Amino acid sequence: MGKSLLVVESPAKARTLSRYVDPSFSVVATVGHIKDLPPKELGVDIQNGFKPKYSVIAGKWKVIKGLKAAMEKADAVYLAPDPDREGEAIAWHVADEVDGEKKTLRVMFHEITKKAVRDALQNPVLLDRNKYDAQQARRILDRLVGYLISPLLWKKVRRGLSAGRVQSVTVRLICEREEEIRRFESKEYWTVHALLEGSGPPPFTAALLRIHGKKANVPDEEHAAGIKKALESETFRVRKIEKKRTKRNPPPPFITSTLQQEASRVYRFAPKRTMKIAQKLYEGVPLGEEGPEGLITYMRTDSTRIAQEAVQQARSYIKGRLGPSYLPTSPRVYRSKKKGVQDAHEAIRPTSVDREPSQVKSFLTPEQYKLYRLIWKRFVACQMKPAELDQTRVDIEAGDYLFRATGSVMRFDGYRKLYEETSESDAKGKADDGLLPELEEGEVLATKEIQVEQHFTQPPPRYTESSLIKALEEKGIGRPSTYAAILSNIRDRQYVDLVERKLVPSELGELVNRLLVDNFPDILNVEFTANMESSLDEIEMGRQDWMKVLDTFYQAFEKDLERAKSEMLDVRKEGTPTEIECEQCGKPMVIRFSATGPFLACSGFPECKNAKSFDRDEEGKIRVREEEKVEDQSCPQCDSPLQVKHGRYGPFLACTGYPECRYTRPLDRQGRAPEEGTEGEEQPCEKCGGKLIVKRARSGNRFWACSNYPRCKEAKPYRVGVPCDRCGEGEFVERAGRNGRLFYCCDRYPKCKNSVPNLPVPIACEACGAPYLLRRVDKAGNPVLYCSRKECPAHRGVSPRPGADSPEQEGRSGGDPRP
């Protein structure tokens, strides 16, 4: 048998596959795309049929060299990147590197199991030109929009901004929802409830439904009080009772979008995080002696189709483990309600139902286990019987008033025994109908209390990541496989903030959205974007020519682009006008943008340099943020008063003598100024002879800096006086990670990568002899010393010694600034 080469895009996937193929196969990974459009030029020949100019991605020449070496030894080459458009593009680019004499075949792994891999290798297909063209068209569309509009935003607004074909429409949805909320006028209304009791328990509540046969409308307290008074003399009598049994069918198995929505609601996973975890579960997770195993099917899909083999496996499990009463007479079949579904892949399901979450829990990370359990339960539940509920509706009359009480009782839990789907209303705490007592028509009820309550109509809610994904899918914007990247991008670009799990447009996001909507109405049109997605699907199915689609798009886009170059508001030069007047010169203030965010500046700049920070209230009106002066502190450099300023990294103290004096000092999360170190004669600056003082970086860690800054920029790490126990040469210094969390590492990094999460103190561990203990603070705020060695009995904590309450009392040598 000749040698064969199997090419995939992921090293993890390669490791799993190497267990399933015979020894004649060599499995190599491309580590993602090997070619793309060049990063520093358009890379598209518009005049020559939109011909793309691909170049090798930086760092991938070594990968290509390895591929070519492996191809020379192989008789056949099997290309097995992911079975989607991006995977097809990787396959085509790899095929370009193969000599014409070599035969290249495409294999699709919809799940990575031994049987699925061998079946795919026995049934290879040819490369799909249509799917590749669809990917090329999407990539070129995104490049044209991003590469040609983004420089315009750089010129007119601020450097570093970007626009995207789908990204910008997503931001528009969020901005429009914010405008709806601001325009919304809340109205008062009242509800009336009666707490009633029948001949048997329990008491129950009925809501006022109608007055004089018309829908109840209680606009204010006066009306509510009048109704309450009238009801106190009325007799409550049961008019009608309706009982019916209803069924609630199980939800279909997950597709990409519903998995992202459910993981966001249940576990608060960001879509990007969900897809990253799912990718690991698909590519394979080491399961002890079994080795790496793919636990789920391919996770980028919009189809609810399930393989017959998997359905039968689920039915066997339900019958054997849950009982025949939970198994429907025939398998459940799910068909997508959405048009244009790509049915190439199955729904997301476990590769083996018999591999229960509890059996693999010890091999998975906590987040992998949570997601696998969610996928496993949803899939098994989709083949179970529906839940059955007895619903009761009771109409109760009291004179001219009609009340209604509803209740439901679960008669058969069905699929709910295993899984219950959540919704946005569940996240808000919506309660189920309560239990009702046994009642009879004509029965007179005892009135325990009449309750009236004031309410106000609420504006439409802001989007959550989950509800935004649902909206994008319903409107046909983007593809499920791109949602995670879109939501990540709009936050990274600072167009949108995540506040209490709600997506709120930033000042920058709203400005950019207004400019793009005014100047590029087609690209920012929801229907236009959805139609473009449909065109890409048509290209993939071979029904449209990709170059004609691009040409049609570019003809309109080019006209908008030329007009925008001359007509788009130059915010960088003129600013965004406001109605606020400069108190120094009387000219109007405008909104400008810096690298640290938006601010108010005088339109008379540079003659008037007045600038202020600002916020917006709930109605979107600008509220100037008053800079507060600190009474008891003065600038150590010029003795001028200090004031609180707000920047990109939060509040900080700044000298009022700016720009002549540029002294600043950060504030901690509680708005307090950390104490700076004293200037000691024994700690002189080696560069200028000044004195070193303790400063705190923006990230939160301390360091030693010269008091003559900015004239002298000498700085040294903050040492804690504990030698490194790994290399024996270095010493622990204070650092901060990207999230602002402090940690302590060896000052010889990267030669020595020893680090600890909490402050090391020079106290030897009495249990194991370790040279130092670590200090943390428990939930009650008490200091706890513990050993860094996990196997040590003192790892969970020892009683702190006297004087261990503050780091400085732990013999830290005052944070020695020596290099």
Side-chain angles (χ1 to χ4, degrees), residues 116 182-183 209 229 243 285 378 410 495 582 609 718 731 739 818:
R182 288 171 184 166
R183 290 196 303 267
L209 183 68
K229 185 175 181 180
K243 292 185 177 181
V285 178
R378 174 94 164 212
M410 182 80 72
Y495 292 152
C582 175
K609 297 182 179 180
Y718 193 93
E731 187 177 341
N739 59 358
R818 290 171 299 170

Side-chain angles (χ1 to χ4, degrees), residues 173 463 470-478 526-527 529-531:
L173 291 180
Y463 286 112
K470 185 177 181 180
L472 292 173
E473 185 179 31
E474 289 174 348
K475 297 176 185 295
I477 300 170
V526 171
E527 186 178 348
T529 305
N531 289 338

Side-chain angles (χ1 to χ4, degrees), residues 160-212:
L161 301 182
S162 74
R165 184 178 56 87
V166 179
Q167 164 191 307
S168 298
V169 178
T170 304
V171 174
R172 178 178 186 175
L173 291 180
I174 298 170
C175 291
E176 288 180 345
R177 176 59 58 88
E178 196 69 18
E179 277 299 311
E180 285 183 67
I181 294 171
R182 288 171 184 166
R183 290 196 303 267
F184 184 83
E185 294 183 6
S186 185
K187 294 182 179 179
E188 179 186 12
Y189 72 97
W190 288 68
T191 55
V192 181
H193 290 84
L195 181 60
L196 306 171
E197 190 171 27
S199 56
F204 65 97
T205 301
L208 178 62
L209 183 68
R210 294 184 179 277
I211 304 173
H212 298 294

Side-chain angles (χ1 to χ4, degrees), residues 97-131:
E97 299 298 325
V98 183
D99 294 336
E101 301 173 0
K102 301 282 183 180
K103 184 178 182 181
T104 57
L105 296 169
R106 181 79 163 100
V107 288
M108 307 279 196
F109 299 137
H110 299 289
E111 59 182 270
I112 302 179
T113 59
K114 189 172 185 178
K115 182 179 182 302
V117 169
R118 293 191 173 181
D119 287 348
L121 289 171
Q122 289 172 7
N123 299 282
V125 296
L126 298 176
L127 289 169
D128 189 336
R129 181 79 211 189
N130 292 332
K131 187 180 285 188

Side-chain angles (χ1 to χ4, degrees), residues 188 190 218-230 452 454:
E188 179 186 12
W190 288 68
V218 188
D220 52 41
E221 186 177 9
E222 182 181 349
H223 282 78
I227 293 170
K228 181 178 181 179
K229 185 175 181 180
V452 295
Q454 183 186 39

Side-chain angles (χ1 to χ4, degrees), residues 336-585:
S336 177
K337 299 177 183 178
K338 184 182 171 185
K339 293 182 180 180
V341 168
Q342 304 297 298
D343 206 41
H345 318 305
E346 284 187 64
I348 303 170
R349 61 170 176 83
T351 54
S352 173
V353 171
D354 295 329
R355 194 174 280 123
E356 296 180 357
S358 59
Q359 295 175 355
V360 297
K361 184 177 181 179
S362 60
F363 304 107
L364 305 179
T365 65
E367 57 185 15
Q368 287 174 345
Y369 169 71
K370 288 178 180 177
L371 198 65
Y372 178 69
R373 182 178 60 180
L374 196 65
I375 294 168
W376 187 92
K377 284 189 171 185
R378 174 94 164 212
F379 173 67
V380 176
C382 84
Q383 291 302 314
M384 294 173 68
K385 277 188 175 180
E388 295 181 5
L389 297 91
D390 281 345
Q391 288 190 330
T392 304
R393 189 174 75 183
V394 182
D395 285 353
I396 302 157
E397 59 185 3
D400 294 327
Y401 302 94
L402 181 68
F403 285 75
R404 178 169 289 173
T406 58
S408 61
V409 177
M410 182 80 72
R411 292 301 180 190
F412 175 63
D413 55 1
Y415 78 92
R416 285 187 167 187
K417 181 180 180 68
L418 193 64
Y419 177 84
E420 187 155 359
E421 187 179 25
T422 63
S423 65
E424 290 295 324
S425 59
D426 294 330
K428 296 173 187 176
K430 183 180 177 181
D432 291 333
D433 292 338
L435 291 173
L436 295 176
E438 288 296 329
L439 301 170
E440 293 182 1
E441 291 185 1
E443 181 179 348
V444 175
L445 305 173
T447 309
K448 300 192 75 174
E449 185 182 0
I450 303 298
Q451 305 165 337
V452 295
E453 188 176 357
Q454 183 186 39
H455 304 274
F456 293 91
T457 54
Q458 297 296 312
R462 290 187 173 109
Y463 286 112
T464 62
E465 290 183 316
S466 173
S467 62
L468 181 60
I469 288 172
K470 185 177 181 180
L472 292 173
E473 185 179 31
E474 289 174 348
K475 297 176 185 295
I477 300 170
R479 304 295 301 172
S481 58
T482 64
Y483 294 156
I486 292 168
L487 267 65
S488 177
N489 285 344
I490 61 177
R491 289 179 60 189
D492 291 345
R493 298 291 182 183
Q494 299 175 2
Y495 292 152
V496 172
D497 298 317
L498 193 63
V499 180
E500 297 180 350
R501 300 188 66 208
K502 303 290 176 57
L503 294 165
V504 183
S506 65
E507 188 76 30
L508 179 64
E510 292 195 81
L511 170 65
V512 171
N513 177 65
R514 286 195 300 272
L515 295 176
L516 294 180
V517 169
D518 291 344
N519 293 276
F520 298 93
D522 286 340
I523 292 177
L524 271 289
N525 181 279
V526 171
E527 186 178 348
F528 177 87
T529 305
N531 289 338
M532 185 57 67
E533 293 298 333
S534 298
S535 295
L536 293 175
D537 293 340
E538 293 284 308
I539 294 170
E540 183 170 343
M541 291 182 279
R543 297 173 184 168
Q544 284 202 52
D545 181 80
W546 69 280
M547 285 186 284
K548 288 183 179 178
V549 170
L550 289 174
D551 186 57
T552 302
F553 164 81
Y554 189 74
Q555 286 181 18
F557 174 65
E558 186 180 26
K559 294 176 183 176
D560 289 342
L561 185 65
E562 291 304 315
R563 185 174 62 252
K565 288 179 180 178
S566 58
E567 296 181 6
M568 181 183 282
L569 175 68
D570 194 337
V571 178
R572 197 167 192 171
K573 182 179 179 181
E574 302 172 20
T576 305
T578 71
E579 296 179 357
I580 297 173
E581 188 177 282
C582 175
E583 74 276 12
Q584 294 184 12
C585 70

